[in-house]
Amino acid sequence: MRSLLAVPASNAKALLRTLTLGCDQIIIDLEDMVTPENKESARANVRDFLAPSESFKKLSLRVNELGTKDAELDLELINSFDPIRISSIFLPKINSIDDVKSWSRKLPQNIQLEVQIETAMGLTKASKIASHDQVSSLSFGPADFMGSVGIPSKGPGKTWPEVDGILDYPLFQIIIAAHAHGKLAYDGPYFQTADYLGLTKAAYKARALGADGKWAIHPDQIYLCNEAFTPSEEEISDAKRIIDQYNQMLGAANAEGVVVDVATKRAAERLIERASFARDVS
Ligand code: GLV
Ligand code: MG
């Protein structure tokens, strides 16, 4: 998925609107985008929204943190659906594989679990967490991560200029942990919704680090995420040229002295796969 739009379940109108938007996946949020006093009505909205909704998009629900009363009420809601109308559950603030197992025991069998890594402890355990069979993706949560590590902020998700770029470090670790187990890896939200240039840079950087997509928290962010995570025509033709060169020369240098080995060919094939996924979902 290139763009995952998170929408507060407390906003019934916004929920309905998501079905007309160009995001690849919708995350209906019961957690931090919903204030404590609105949690109950948010759950009621989810019930109303999911009852009739036919969606061609992947629909997911983000629940509240394990061990809270709200998490128990979220579970009651999920287990009241028959059949289950969502493809996956986003689990926030996961610290260990035991947290994942604990959720897995309480949730419908075989539902995909998409884990947010957004605590210092979660980051140290990311690979083990990704190894759980039901886990299908890891996402970075920059705002919670900064709070957990004690990184002072200049606004949501923004570090001091002295350590500009430091959040690439946890993001890259999360991408490596997810891909080590064949799972998807997502960059988290960009909170300055009017800063299109900042979002574009962040999305291309995440793609350059190997992420599969990025969260969006405003409809205007969807297109930019889709763009960043869709291979360009130039990338596709470069990849095809690499595959052709490999097939013709099998590891020998070309006229410019460039060698294409099996690893390079494999990376080019992966890009072609990504491009055909982007075409299928567009
Ligand atoms: C997202 O959940 C974040 O904490 O940034
Ligand atoms: Mg968070």
Side-chain angles (χ1 to χ4, degrees), residues 245-270:
Q245 183 186 333
Y246 177 84
N247 289 339
Q248 282 162 28
M249 310 184 77
L250 299 175
N254 68 8
E256 289 93 49
V258 178
V259 173
V260 173
D261 67 357
V262 184
T264 312
K265 183 185 86 139
R266 215 180 286 127
E269 286 169 346
R270 194 160 174 173

Side-chain angles (χ1 to χ4, degrees), residues 3-18:
S3 54
L4 301 88
L5 178 69
V7 54
S10 47
N11 187 340
K13 251 168 73 188
L15 272 183
L16 267 183
R17 189 163 168 231
T18 55

Side-chain angles (χ1 to χ4, degrees), residues 72-165:
E72 279 172 36
L73 296 169
D74 298 345
L75 272 168
E76 267 176 37
L77 171 71
I78 294 165
N79 288 317
S80 73
F81 289 122
D82 189 20
I84 185 85
R85 307 197 71 119
I86 34 184
S87 311
S88 69
I89 307 287
F90 273 82
L91 304 177
K93 302 178 184 59
I94 291 295
N95 288 314
S96 66
I97 188 140
D98 287 338
D99 286 355
V100 178
K101 287 181 182 163
S102 174
W103 274 114
S104 162
R105 276 194 295 274
K106 298 174 181 134
L107 283 164
Q109 267 192 341
N110 301 328
I111 193 154
Q112 286 176 18
L113 304 179
E114 306 209 55
V115 170
Q116 281 191 282
I117 300 292
E118 47 184 356
T119 61
M121 181 56 85
L123 187 66
T124 67
K125 301 285 192 287
S127 173
K128 186 93 184 123
I129 290 169
S131 74
H132 190 281
D133 277 353
Q134 245 176 301
V135 170
S136 62
S137 77
L138 299 185
S139 289
F140 181 41
D144 271 312
F145 184 79
M146 288 175 70
S148 168
V149 174
I151 299 173
S153 88
K154 275 246 176 234
K158 286 249 182 260
T159 60
W160 286 359
E162 284 84 344
V163 290
D164 199 24

Side-chain angles (χ1 to χ4, degrees), residues 9-12 15 30 34-48:
S10 47
N11 187 340
L15 272 183
L30 289 167
V34 178
T35 55
E37 54 279 11
N38 285 330
K39 297 273 188 202
E40 201 45 56
S41 62
R43 276 185 283 270
N45 286 343
V46 173
R47 207 172 285 117
D48 292 346

